[in-house]
Amino acid sequence: MISIRNLYKSFGNHRVLEDISLDIEKGETTVVIGQSGVGKSVLIKHIMGLLKPDRGAIFVDGDDITKYDNKQMKEYLQRFGILFQNAALFDSMSVGENVGFPLREHTNLSDKEIRARVAEKLQVVGLAGIEDMLPSELSGGMRKRVGLARAIALDPEIMIFDEPTTGLDPVMSDAIDNLVIETQERLNLTNVVISHDIAGTFKIAHKVAMLYDCRLIEVGTPEEFRNSPNPVVQQFLARKAEGPIKI
Amino acid sequence: MALEFKNIAIGFLDGLGRFLIRFFEETGRLINLFITTMRLMVKPPFRLNLLSKQMEFVGVQSTFIVALTGTFTGMVFALQSSYAFKLLNAEGMIAPAVGLSLTRELAPVLTGLMVTGRVGSAMAAELGTMRVTEQIDALFAMAIDPIKYLVVPRVIAGIIMVPLLTILFNFVGNVGSYIVGVGILGLNSERYINDIVYMVDLPDLYHGVIKAGFFGLLITLIGCSRGFYSAGGAEGVGRAATQAVVIASVLILVSDYFLTSVLVRIGFD
Amino acid sequence: MEEKILSTEAKVGLFVVVISGILFWMTFKLGGCLGVGAPRGYPVKVALETAQGLNLETPVYIAGIQIGKVNDIALEEGKARVILKIFTEYQLEEDVEASIRTMGFLGAKYINIKPGTPGAPVIEPGGEIVRVKIPPDVEELIDELGEVVQDIREVSRSLRAVIGGEEGEASLREIIDNIREASVSLKYDFPVIAGNIRRVSEDLEDLISENREGLRESLEQFQMAAADLQESLDNIASITRKINEGEGSLGKLVNEDETVEKLNETIEGVNEILAVSRRLRAFIDYRGEYLIEDNDLKSHFSLRLQPGADKYYQIGIVDDPQGVTEVTDVYTRDDGETQYTHTEVTERKLKFSLEMAKRFYDLTLRGGIIESTGGVGMDYSLLGDRIIVSFEAFDFGKETNPNLQARLSLEPFRHLYLVGGANDFIDSEIEPRYFFGGGIKFEDRDLKALFGTAGTAASVGGQ
């Protein structure tokens, strides 16, 4: 569904992405792993069209989105849902307003229809009836789930998860992972997940890609990944400080 | 020794160069934001609910503090000038002196400074928080222009509400001066009002109000800019709030001089 | 969430409405330009030397009550033309007086109208206030005060320089002593000096009265000589004209360069001579003064020879009904006692004057013999000598103060003038004696033009 071809990106003299090529299949969950600050977010922003590559192309259903103008980009963006690391709920809005926000902005639904849709999405993430709470009153896991509810409010085709389990306890992490799988299956989403949670990655991924030193050094199924001969991959999977990865 | 000096010199030049680059960067960013804001201001959709929210925040919620400072400014100014004018037997000049100073200078500048303290810092902090918690990115991702959504209503609210607050300041300031002049100094009530009306002309009032509009733009634009482009987590947000107040206050006082000379030249004298 | 009494929109709306109300009220109050509530009025013009401190809306008061305001200010023929808007219910008489006044010491300016005569015709809309009074304003007063202070400072500074310190005091005392000494000696010496002058003048007078006929003859001769000179000049003119036209052998000579040069030199010489005689101007003057106290006429006849614009000599003959007072003091020694007799004999006698004068711009100082005694005088000319103010002091030998005469002469027509004045005008013991009269004054060439012959002038002088 999304084909990244020979993508290069640098900020000033600082190279971030070099010759990245990746196919993201429709209805699958693709997890990009790698160290913090290695450029995973930059890659995601390219997929979302928020950044333009220096070189290379990104084809979505055959269209090169790097050539899109503002209007096309706006339409394209509406096919996405994104769950930010800290959920990025609007503090000034209640939970209901947060979830209903994309609906109010991009649809002509009445208030009543929006309220119904918000209730339905909160039901999906398992938080029915908290519409009137404020984000500041929620726990980290609840915020993530509200964020997910907001992300899927417009029924996107593609969901992007930016480190969905960071900062959560293991139980809550597993719950979120389950939620990711569940929504993916229920809504037939194409998921792109950024993560460095090894356990979660292998649980949710159909395909894993590892970003190291500006390049994708390994792409494959979780099974192929486990058996990778690449020492960098092995060090990462084993959670070891010693190895070829320079800290 | 010589080497040490050389290092100090290089360090100084390096620091100066960085400062200048940062200064130009900030200036350019501010101008860029201003142009973008102006462009987006006239483009639909007009988010009136956001605008009225900001107008409430900037204007309505500043009413009390502006009324309070205005009243006491007028009162103390009347009292102070009375000492000077009494020496010249010119008590009749107290009312016009206070009235003119208020309409032309004190009302716009003091209102601007009060609003800076209340609103400029709050805007920088709010937008800064939205930046570090990725709320601004979220807006972007939801195909909503964050400048249009966040900056434009704030700037419009500033441009509208600061002049209105200035008019309020004028009014309560003159009421304050009346209280002191008539109530305490025992000047003739009718005469007091007539003196103000006679010496203060409409161009004086507009002079102040136009300046206030500019200050409103300045305060909100700087507050938004500091917040919108803030970085460095919670600490960065705090810094953005402080900087917004400092920069806006200084720019109000400096631009006041140039605005005055321009306004006088084009006839608002 | 707390219960909201007012929605955000309602709060903002209320705020904006209230503040707009204040703005509207202030606009209305300050501008009065909405036309609502502004009193109606009619325009009245007034021309002022300065509109300084006035602006539009400056009030116009009568007796402290505002009856109008300034509506327009424009420059017209170097004056400020101010249009007042007088409220309809007030009327201004034509003889009202407008002035700019200041409220308090530093206050704003306003226009004050002094009411006119009740019942006088009123100024119509568009009319003008003619009478304007300009009281000195604070700035001018301060300026003048500054000048005065400056003057005082300078005077005091120079005074201090003179009398400051012991040295100055000493020299001051010395000066005073000298003056005292001088005045003492003058007291004794002056009669002697005066007597000498008188004697000289008497001698001169005798000379003149003896030679009166001779004097007349010389005058006639002078006139005849002038006539001869004129004739010779005419001849020269006719000769040169003939030469120019090339008549005779001379005319032919002129065409040769050498001759021309020589001739030029000669003509230059002649020109110089002519220039001198042309520069010397002669004026003949007669004036009669009617002495009110004496009920008699005093006649002056004078001839003024003026070699240059800045000086002249004047010879005059005066017929004074008061005549000359002869004073004789006799000391006789008789029986060891000194007797002193004082006799004054006054007889009508012709007096004469002989003065030299030097002119500095409009001021002429003259001195010499005035009316047969020593004297000095000064004339101050105004309007190109049409008005002359004169002061003369003479007859210092008198028992009382010398005669001080003030005279004013007006020349309304060329050659004819009127005089008036007073003798002894500063003497506290004697009443001033006033006189008035008229005179006739000619330059010799005017005379020629009038009478055709030069000799007639002498007959005028004979009176």
Side-chain angles (χ1 to χ4, degrees), chain B residues 125-136:
Chain B
E126 192 183 357
L127 265 64
T129 307
M130 290 184 80
R131 167 62 74 189
V132 297
T133 57
E134 296 180 296
Q135 292 177 49
I136 289 174

Side-chain angles (χ1 to χ4, degrees), chain A residues 52 74 131 145 185 188 197 199 205 208:
Chain A
K52 296 272 181 205
K74 230 174 172 176
E131 280 93 336
R145 285 190 278 170
E185 282 169 355
N188 192 27
D197 175 11
V208 184

Side-chain angles (χ1 to χ4, degrees), chain C residues 267-416:
Chain C
I267 288 169
E268 260 171 47
V270 171
N271 273 343
E272 271 172 40
I273 296 162
L274 283 179
V276 172
S277 73
R278 210 176 286 149
R279 231 183 283 141
L280 183 74
R281 297 168 71 184
F283 296 86
I284 294 149
D285 187 341
Y286 167 78
R287 87 170 177 268
E289 292 170 357
Y290 179 72
L291 303 171
I292 298 168
E293 264 80 12
D294 301 287
N295 192 18
D296 211 333
L297 194 72
K298 183 177 177 181
S299 298
H300 299 255
F301 170 77
S302 62
L303 170 70
R304 180 192 295 183
L305 296 171
Q306 189 170 333
D310 64 340
K311 62 179 176 184
Y312 63 82
Y313 305 96
Q314 187 162 293
I315 307 161
I317 299 164
V318 182
D319 176 25
D320 190 352
Q322 280 188 291
V324 179
T325 306
E326 193 103 38
V327 182
T328 324
D329 293 333
V330 182
Y331 299 88
T332 46
R333 195 173 272 271
D334 191 31
D335 295 336
E337 281 179 36
T338 305
Q339 288 231 319
Y340 170 67
T341 39
H342 176 83
T343 34
E344 276 189 32
V345 182
T346 305
E347 57 170 311
R348 185 164 186 154
K349 224 175 169 187
L350 274 182
K351 299 195 268 189
F352 69 93
S353 301
L354 186 61
E355 289 172 89
M356 283 169 67
K358 176 87 178 161
R359 183 165 181 158
F360 308 95
Y361 301 102
D362 286 336
L363 180 72
T364 308
L365 297 177
R366 53 193 161 82
I369 297 163
I370 298 178
E371 300 193 12
S372 301
T373 68
V376 290
M378 55 168 278
D379 305 300
Y380 192 77
S381 308
L382 295 160
L383 295 178
D385 295 0
R386 282 295 178 95
I387 299 173
I388 299 172
V389 184
S390 305
F391 293 97
E392 279 176 11
F394 55 94
D395 201 358
F396 291 97
K398 252 190 351 176
E399 188 66 7
T400 56
N401 284 319
N403 188 3
L404 277 167
Q405 190 190 73
R407 192 168 71 233
L408 175 76
S409 51
L410 302 169
E411 194 179 357
F413 310 105
R414 215 164 120 81
H415 305 307
L416 293 173

Side-chain angles (χ1 to χ4, degrees), chain C residues 69-271:
Chain C
K69 59 176 188 172
V70 171
N71 221 19
D72 187 33
I73 299 171
L75 188 65
E76 197 175 83
E77 291 166 7
K79 280 194 163 191
R81 184 184 52 78
V82 178
I83 305 276
L84 309 177
K85 182 179 163 189
I86 304 296
F87 302 147
T88 320
E89 64 260 43
Y90 300 105
Q91 288 188 323
L92 301 178
E93 291 85 12
E94 273 179 352
D95 56 347
V96 295
E97 189 179 82
S99 58
I100 298 178
R101 297 263 187 95
T102 310
M103 297 181 196
F105 189 62
L106 290 172
K109 293 277 192 333
Y110 68 95
I111 292 183
N112 189 62
I113 306 270
K114 205 169 114 188
T117 320
V122 296
I123 298 175
E124 295 294 316
E128 186 166 1
I129 295 174
V130 186
R131 297 175 61 183
V132 173
K133 195 176 150 203
I134 305 149
D137 65 2
V138 174
E139 282 167 48
E140 270 175 42
L141 274 176
I142 288 170
D143 277 358
E144 279 172 21
L145 210 62
E147 275 171 36
V148 169
V149 167
Q150 186 67 26
D151 286 350
I152 291 172
R153 193 179 299 142
E154 268 169 35
V155 169
S156 62
R157 189 183 297 141
S158 45
L159 256 176
R160 191 170 55 233
V162 171
I163 62 171
E166 283 178 32
E167 205 183 314
E169 216 172 290
S171 60
L172 197 70
R173 195 170 295 131
E174 203 175 303
I175 289 167
I176 292 167
D177 286 348
N178 285 345
I179 291 172
R180 195 184 299 132
E181 269 173 39
S183 57
V184 167
S185 64
L186 207 64
K187 201 173 173 181
Y188 294 109
D189 291 351
F190 199 76
V192 182
I193 298 169
N196 288 344
I197 293 173
R198 195 183 306 127
R199 236 184 337 275
V200 171
S201 61
E202 274 169 11
D203 291 352
L204 255 172
E205 194 176 344
D206 286 348
L207 198 80
I208 286 173
S209 51
E210 273 169 27
N211 294 298
R212 192 169 289 171
E213 274 309 302
L215 199 68
R216 182 170 295 175
E217 271 172 29
S218 2
L219 271 171
E220 278 171 4
Q221 276 164 10
F222 180 79
Q223 296 292 355
M224 265 146 66
D228 287 351
L229 189 67
Q230 189 64 39
E231 212 177 298
S232 334
L233 287 175
D234 287 350
N235 286 342
I236 291 169
S238 94
I239 291 165
T240 48
R241 190 173 57 246
K242 280 176 185 167
I243 294 167
N244 276 346
E245 286 160 9
E247 277 179 33
S249 53
L250 255 173
K252 289 180 183 89
L253 266 172
V254 174
N255 293 330
E256 286 170 31
D257 290 350
E258 211 181 313
T259 325
V260 171
E261 251 172 59
K262 278 183 184 166
L263 206 65
N264 275 345
E265 280 170 28
T266 317
I267 288 169
E268 260 171 47
V270 171
N271 273 343

Side-chain angles (χ1 to χ4, degrees), chain B residues 28 51 57 71 96 109 112 117 148 151 173 220 225 231 243 260:
Chain B
L51 180 62
F57 176 61
T71 310
V109 171
K148 171 111 184 127
V151 179
T220 48
S225 160
Q243 284 176 345
T260 302

Side-chain angles (χ1 to χ4, degrees), chain B residues 59-77:
Chain B
V60 179
Q61 293 182 19
S62 302
T63 310
F64 178 71
I65 195 165
V66 165
L68 193 73
T69 42
T71 310
F72 278 94
T73 304
M75 285 173 76
V76 75
F77 199 19

Side-chain angles (χ1 to χ4, degrees), chain B residues 49 52-53 55-56 59-60 63 88 93 161 164-165 167-168 170-171 191 193 197-198 200-202 205-206, chain C residues 8-9 11-12 15-16 19 22-23 25-27 29-31 33 55 57-59 105-109:
Chain B
N49 58 325
S52 71
K53 215 171 187 171
M55 281 167 78
E56 190 207 355
V60 179
T63 310
L88 297 167
M93 296 305 285
M161 295 318 258
L164 289 177
L165 288 169
I167 291 163
L168 176 71
N170 268 326
F171 179 72
R191 179 82 194 282
I193 295 168
V197 169
Y198 171 55
V200 181
D201 291 329
L202 271 186
L205 185 66
Y206 294 149
Chain C
T8 305
E9 284 84 353
K11 281 191 213 163
V12 172
F15 178 82
V16 171
I19 305 279
I22 293 174
L23 176 65
W25 180 77
M26 284 166 96
T27 308
K29 195 86 180 159
L30 295 183
C33 63
N55 49 26
E57 305 292 319
T58 294
F105 189 62
L106 290 172
K109 293 277 192 333

